[in-house]
Amino acid sequence: MKRLGFYMPIALFAGIVVYLAIGLTLDPNKLPSMLIDKPVPEFVLPAIEGFDQGLSSSDLKGKVSLVNIWGSWCVACIIEHPLLMELAKNNTITIYGIDWKDPPGAGAAWLLKEGNPYTLIGDDADGRVAIDFGVTGAPETFIADKDGRIRYKYIGPITPEVWNEIILPIVEELQR
Amino acid sequence: MTFKTVVFLLGGFFILAVGLGGAGAVEPDERLDDPVLEQRAREISQQLRCVVCQNQSIDESDAPLARDLRLIIRERLVEGDNDEQVIGFVVDRYGDFVLLKPPFQADTYLLWFGPFIIFLMGGLLIFYYFRKVLGAIPDGDNSDPGDREK
């Protein structure tokens, strides 16, 4: 009994330390998405300047796709851009773009300079659709399944490691 | 630094802190003409966390996303939503995390009851500790002085 009274507080303290230490490794900016396993929010977005077609939620049905939230102002978007270009070139997966809060023409000019990986792009100038998606910053990428349901959300630029270790396995599973 | 300078500086900081503390980030063009609705919008915004700068409410944050949310809140109030519906709109998209005051529900019981559980455990430990300490005092000492004569 005496032993227990001595060791229990130490064990309790150690437990709390481990618990809090795990908490420190989590990034508070990576909020879990409320949309997981839910249908994509209904939206119809116009085309960006110089493009004929915009993007609407009904476009996302039929095949597994990525919905990428980006903007010409977004510094981190340029990091993942070469990877998105490669995915588009190899027809690995259909990528849809939502141009978030860009001034008219800015998104189109950026794509002209950097290349366009998107099958369709919607112009979300006032950011309302991004809020329906629960977006906290750009870039953010959603994986939509064949039924147009959101299955995964990745916050931040997709690096080759993120693609190979996190996103590709989910996409392959959904494409089966 | 003389005493006077220190007092002067501290006073200056105090005035700055008080002056800045109350200021929201609401821009004049966002405000509603109806003062009652505007007041409700302010109160709702003060309860919602900005997801960009997470320790500020959207009422205080200068982040563009916070501004968008403030505008949406005002639009919905004008359309006739009640406060719960407006807050629900934001929670549906960003989760319970945006509520600066966590809701009282199954997954937050530990948060709400935790301090009381720890308090109770501490109280029990103290109780048992003192009972043991007091119990360790030899019998003769805490017995009635009158008994000793026997």
Side-chain angles (χ1 to χ4, degrees):
Chain A
M1 189 61 205
K2 213 174 181 180
R3 279 272 168 86
L4 193 71
F6 179 72
Y7 287 116
M8 209 179 69
I10 294 174
L12 208 67
F13 178 73
I16 292 171
V17 166
V18 169
Y19 185 74
L20 295 180
I22 292 170
L24 279 180
T25 66
L26 302 174
D27 183 350
N29 285 320
K30 301 208 164 161
L31 295 183
S33 174
M34 301 303 290
L35 286 175
I36 300 302
D37 294 337
K38 291 197 188 130
V40 177
E42 292 281 318
F43 67 88
V44 179
L45 284 175
I48 60 171
E49 243 177 58
F51 285 75
D52 300 329
Q53 213 184 334
L55 177 70
S56 70
S57 40
S58 54
D59 294 324
L60 303 181
K61 291 190 179 106
K63 57 186 165 205
V64 181
S65 62
L66 298 184
V67 181
N68 182 244
I69 316 282
W70 65 284
S72 69
W73 49 269
C74 157
V75 202
C77 293
I78 197 76
I79 299 170
E80 65 178 9
H81 197 261
L83 185 106
L84 296 184
M85 288 301 287
E86 202 186 301
L87 296 178
K89 199 183 81 193
N90 300 336
N91 281 321
T92 316
I93 188 165
T94 306
I95 310 171
Y96 297 112
I98 292 181
D99 186 8
W100 186 33
K101 293 186 71 118
D102 244 340
W110 193 84
L111 290 178
L112 202 66
K113 188 168 146 242
E114 309 290 345
N116 177 13
Y118 306 114
T119 306
L120 290 172
I121 305 152
D123 187 8
D124 188 20
D126 63 4
R128 293 304 166 91
V129 172
I131 286 177
D132 285 340
F133 272 82
V135 167
T136 59
E140 275 185 23
T141 305
F142 295 84
I143 306 177
D145 68 12
K146 291 170 188 151
D147 305 317
R149 269 178 307 164
I150 302 283
R151 299 301 286 269
Y152 191 79
K153 171 189 184 177
Y154 187 79
I155 297 177
I158 305 171
T159 59
E161 293 75 42
V162 168
W163 171 257
N164 287 322
E165 282 157 32
I166 302 173
I167 299 181
L168 184 60
I170 298 170
V171 167
E172 279 175 341
E173 180 70 35
L174 291 175
Q175 277 174 338
R176 246 175 238 165
Chain B
M1 238 193 293
T2 64
F3 180 69
K4 239 181 175 174
T5 331
V6 172
V7 170
F8 180 76
L9 278 176
L10 280 178
F13 281 129
F14 180 74
I15 290 164
L16 259 180
V18 170
L20 295 175
V26 189
E27 302 282 335
D29 63 320
E30 296 174 22
R31 291 201 188 110
L32 296 173
D33 294 330
D34 183 342
V36 180
L37 280 187
E38 176 62 25
Q39 184 56 33
R40 275 174 65 201
R42 291 296 300 269
E43 277 163 16
I44 291 170
S45 321
Q46 280 157 12
Q47 296 169 41
L48 294 173
R49 184 195 301 273
C50 170
V51 286
V52 183
C53 3
Q54 299 187 344
N55 283 328
Q56 282 188 312
S57 72
I58 58 171
D59 189 62
E60 300 160 320
S61 174
D62 287 321
L65 189 61
R67 177 189 159 89
D68 289 350
L69 285 167
R70 285 196 298 269
L71 291 172
I72 286 176
I73 286 170
R74 282 164 176 80
E75 274 174 27
R76 301 203 74 84
L77 286 175
V78 169
E79 278 166 30
D81 278 13
N82 65 30
D83 292 7
E84 286 75 45
Q85 284 169 320
V86 175
I87 291 171
F89 177 91
V90 182
V91 170
D92 283 348
R93 284 155 182 75
Y94 290 100
D96 287 333
F97 178 76
V98 294
L99 299 170
L100 283 169
K101 183 182 172 192
F104 187 71
Q105 59 195 29
D107 62 349
T108 58
Y109 282 164
L110 190 64
L111 181 73
W112 285 97
F113 292 130
F116 299 106
I117 294 170
I118 291 169
F119 181 75
L120 208 74
M121 274 165 51
L124 280 174
L125 273 174
I126 291 169
F127 175 76
Y128 281 117
Y129 175 76
F130 276 103
R131 207 176 64 162
K132 212 165 70 183
V133 169
L134 292 176
I137 296 169
D139 278 351
D141 281 7
N142 58 357
S143 57
D144 194 310
D147 292 344
R148 286 192 193 166
E149 305 296 327
K150 289 174 192 168

